[in-house]
Amino acid sequence: MSHTMRAMVLERPGTRLRLTHCAVPEPGVGQVLIAVEACGVCRTDLHLVDGELPDPVLPMIPGHEIVGRVVALGAGVQGWQAGQRVGVPWLGWTCGHCRFCRAGRENLCERARFTGYQIPGGYAQYTVADARYGFALPEETAPEHLAPLLCAGLIGYRALRMAGDARRLGVYGFGAAAHLITQVARRQGREVFALTRPGDAQSQAFARSLGAAWAGGSDETPPEPLDAALIFAPAGALVPAALRHVERGGCVVCAGIHMSDIPSFPYAWLWGERSLRSVANLTRRDGDEFFELVRQAPLQTEVHLFALEQANEALDQLRRGAFQGAAVLRMDAPA
């Protein structure tokens, strides 16, 4: 194992990531050292790079959809062994003592720290992670097909849980999270209506290929009232639009970490016991439940591979909406 590694580093918001050669980190108490196989490129990474997230730790190695192999164990680590495949998500550390942690709502921890934002992430050949917050992943699946599950899949799963038993589900923004959670929803017997950018026929066809009963633009009216709507696109204007299509007693779930401002709307659109909720990352319970579902019935992941050195290109394409599904950096891919 080399003592140095390649990493893509954000030095200040609004600038491109810089390829650097730096020392391989050493695992501290309770941490594991991971040789990264693949890391998904998430819209949250784009928000970080574009300066839309507050108080980032800089310089920072982004990336929080990490799939890799355990290389070394720090002091006190139990339950992991060298060579084991591990997945590292957005939630990287919590205090374990605040009222939210004690209540099983660790995703709301007052001192939580997040991978690729406050803890160096996976746009690198190696990373360290708190052993308590890693997930054991299937061995038989290629790492690039597992990486999107670590955020897009997990956030989508939590958003779906917040929708309760809604049978008619509207999904706004058909990207990495939506293409995964549509498959889960269909397996649960729900009807999915996909709402994309107006005129985006390619995304609409993609949604129908994954089982959506209907697909159209976000400026259109679904063929039936929705029991719930999941918003994955970071556009606040979609909130009142979704509320107008949700049936009485239904809910709108905002699943992004960052969203543009929500415009004002008449109270009548919320009235009728409709509700508006947000998703704040995930809990380890979410991950355990979601990956058990994946083991029982693997999901089809649409991925586009990039080399580590192509991280800026991957982010640019994500910003433009240039591909369906998810972008993934694979460490052994040729530049």
Side-chain angles (χ1 to χ4, degrees), residues 39-189:
C39 185
V41 179
C42 179
R43 186 162 291 276
T44 302
D45 301 335
L46 197 57
H47 294 316
L48 172 67
V49 170
D50 290 346
E52 295 171 330
L53 297 184
D55 305 320
V57 175
L58 298 173
M60 177 55 62
I61 301 171
H64 57 273
E65 299 180 350
I66 304 169
V67 178
R69 299 278 179 182
V70 174
V71 173
L73 309 178
V77 172
Q78 297 180 347
W80 293 100
Q81 59 186 9
Q84 188 174 359
R85 177 171 273 176
V86 58
V88 182
W90 171 250
L91 184 63
W93 182 90
T94 62
C95 72
H97 305 297
C98 71
R99 62 193 180 99
F100 295 111
C101 287
R102 294 197 307 270
R105 304 170 73 192
E106 62 189 9
N107 60 316
L108 303 180
C109 174
E110 297 163 343
R111 297 171 56 201
R113 298 175 67 204
F114 304 103
T115 310
Y117 180 33
Q118 292 145 339
I119 302 169
Y123 287 19
Q125 292 178 292
Y126 294 90
T127 191
V128 294
D130 189 317
R132 300 172 301 164
Y133 290 84
F135 295 109
L137 298 180
E139 292 286 339
E140 62 274 9
T141 306
E144 63 267 27
H145 290 289
L146 291 171
L149 306 183
L150 270 301
C151 185
L154 288 170
I155 295 300
Y157 177 70
R158 187 166 181 85
L160 184 63
R161 281 185 57 199
M162 286 190 172
D165 60 358
R167 307 314 299 170
R168 294 192 301 267
L169 196 68
V171 177
Y172 285 78
F174 209 83
H179 97 282
L180 295 171
I181 213 61
T182 291
Q183 298 173 62
V184 176
R186 290 296 299 124
R187 290 174 185 174
Q188 294 175 344

Side-chain angles (χ1 to χ4, degrees), residues 7-20 39-42 45-50 60-63 122-124 304-323 327-331 335:
M8 297 297 288
V9 178
L10 176 67
E11 295 179 330
R12 65 180 188 276
T15 64
R16 296 176 73 76
L17 306 182
R18 184 172 64 87
L19 177 64
T20 65
C39 185
V41 179
C42 179
D45 301 335
L46 197 57
H47 294 316
L48 172 67
V49 170
D50 290 346
M60 177 55 62
I61 301 171
Y123 287 19
H304 302 268
L305 283 179
F306 296 83
L308 174 63
E309 292 85 350
Q310 295 173 310
N312 287 309
E313 180 182 343
L315 289 165
D316 289 343
Q317 291 194 26
L318 176 60
R319 185 183 288 106
R320 298 197 309 268
F323 52 76
V328 178
L329 307 181
R330 179 144 178 169
M331 300 308 131

